[in-house]
Amino acid sequence: MKTIIAACSQNLSGSRASVQTALRTLLAAPWPSQRDVRSWLQLLSVLQWVLSFLLLGTVSLLLLIYLVFTRFWPISALYLAWIIFDWDTPEKGGRRLPCLRRWPVWRHFRDYFPVKLVKTHDLSPSHNYIIGSHPHGILCVGAFCNFITGSTGFGEMFPGIRPFLTTLAGNFRLPVFREYLMSGGLCPVTRRAIGYLLSKNGTGNAVAIVIGGAAESLSCRPGVTTLILKNRKGFVRMALQHGAYLVPSFSFGENDLFRQVVFEEGSWMRSIQQRFQKMMGFAPCVFYGRGLTSVRSKGFLPYARPITTVVGEPVTVPKIEDPSCETVDMYHEMYVRSLLKLFNENKTKYGLSETDELHIL
């Protein structure tokens, strides 16, 4: 009996010593600094955003289809009934949730790059506006951060102005993803949706349109600033029909977030991209960024490059219900001149050289 008690005492003593050694080792290990914690939070905030835009809609659709064949099929049935009932809501201003726009994660998202908003002129709440957002880039990071989240201070810089951002109408056909988009203030890039915001939602609305669209993303690469704008005049016609002022904006650094494999015009890969874009509304770009574990690894996360979005001077537009082609061309030219002025006055302030030019196709 004494032998058993002695053995137990030795085991307990050994266990206490092991625990004490482990605690000393843990306390001696270097704890992550506040800077490291901030970096991790910033990286995770960007990761959730990229995954949301790339996977949320598809995963939600597949999950609802799967549930149809299980005992949880009423969930899919009820959500389908909800979508049918709620089908037109994206075209009628959507459902903005201010709490989502103020979500603290967007501050970490902003600081990862970082993203900055620069105001050059006031916007009066007594008017409506169409903000032209340039360039498209790969994922429109600057437009999303400035016009959808409140992290860069849009509401404080432009009091009384409600910003909206347009995106492909097909995104609002995907379950759950549509709710996510509407809650932030995104709406379909359709005449009906934009017209509703500019005519039936009061004044003080600013609808941001990434005018270059999917076609522009095919030319996105660092060191090249090419915009698809010369024949994009539908936004000018809508501005005239509703008397909405035109406001140019440019996100310096947008094209530096990813590396893209750019196929030359006339190549078979370029033709496949263009055909896909015409059929589906978006272009299948071959691009890469940084990995999750290291800046030097390759992955699908954007590189941490500064983005500065400069909002320019509004172009005053009269209300003409049926503008002529000549009138549309005149105001389109005025808008292009205002955009070129904005670019040339700010390019050297935000990373470009004096010799860099804005190419408009």
Side-chain angles (χ1 to χ4, degrees), residues 101-120:
R101 293 173 61 87
R102 295 193 299 266
W103 199 16
V105 73
W106 299 131
R107 294 197 298 271
H108 300 297
F109 180 86
R110 172 201 65 195
D111 295 338
Y112 170 83
F113 298 96
V115 181
K116 180 182 178 182
L117 181 65
V118 175
K119 168 186 172 181
T120 62

Side-chain angles (χ1 to χ4, degrees), residues 20 23 28 42 104 106 117 134 154 173 194-195 203 211 236 267 283 333 336 347 360:
Q20 290 172 354
L23 287 174
Q42 291 167 11
W106 299 131
L117 181 65
H134 311 274
F154 185 96
R173 305 296 178 249
I194 297 171
T203 59
I211 297 167
V236 178
S267 65
E333 186 178 346
V336 171
K347 61 183 180 181
I360 296 179

Side-chain angles (χ1 to χ4, degrees), residues 74-99:
I75 296 176
S76 299
L78 288 172
Y79 190 80
L80 177 61
W82 163 252
I83 286 184
I84 294 173
F85 173 79
D86 196 54
W87 190 260
D88 289 335
T89 300
E91 304 274 353
K92 297 180 178 179
R95 273 188 303 273
R96 296 164 66 94
L97 292 178
C99 60

Side-chain angles (χ1 to χ4, degrees), residues 60 62-80:
S60 299
L62 293 176
L63 178 60
L64 287 174
I65 293 174
Y66 168 75
L67 292 178
V68 169
F69 303 99
T70 69
R71 60 192 179 94
F72 298 105
W73 64 267
I75 296 176
S76 299
L78 288 172
Y79 190 80
L80 177 61

Side-chain angles (χ1 to χ4, degrees), residues 19-41:
V19 171
Q20 290 172 354
T21 302
L23 287 174
R24 283 196 296 268
T25 303
L26 182 62
L27 293 174
W31 287 82
S33 64
Q34 291 185 352
R35 181 178 179 181
D36 292 334
V37 172
R38 283 197 301 268
S39 297
W40 294 341
L41 290 174

Side-chain angles (χ1 to χ4, degrees), residues 88-96 128-130 162 164 166 182 186-207 209 238-239 241-242 244 319:
D88 289 335
T89 300
E91 304 274 353
K92 297 180 178 179
R95 273 188 303 273
R96 296 164 66 94
N128 286 326
Y129 304 88
I130 290 180
R162 294 181 297 275
F164 296 85
T166 58
M182 285 192 290
L186 283 105
C187 64
V189 61
T190 61
R191 289 184 178 276
R192 183 185 177 193
I194 297 171
Y196 181 92
L197 294 172
L198 297 178
S199 62
K200 298 180 181 179
N201 200 42
T203 59
N205 300 294
V207 183
I209 303 175
M238 289 207 68
Q241 290 173 340
H242 299 285
K319 185 176 182 179

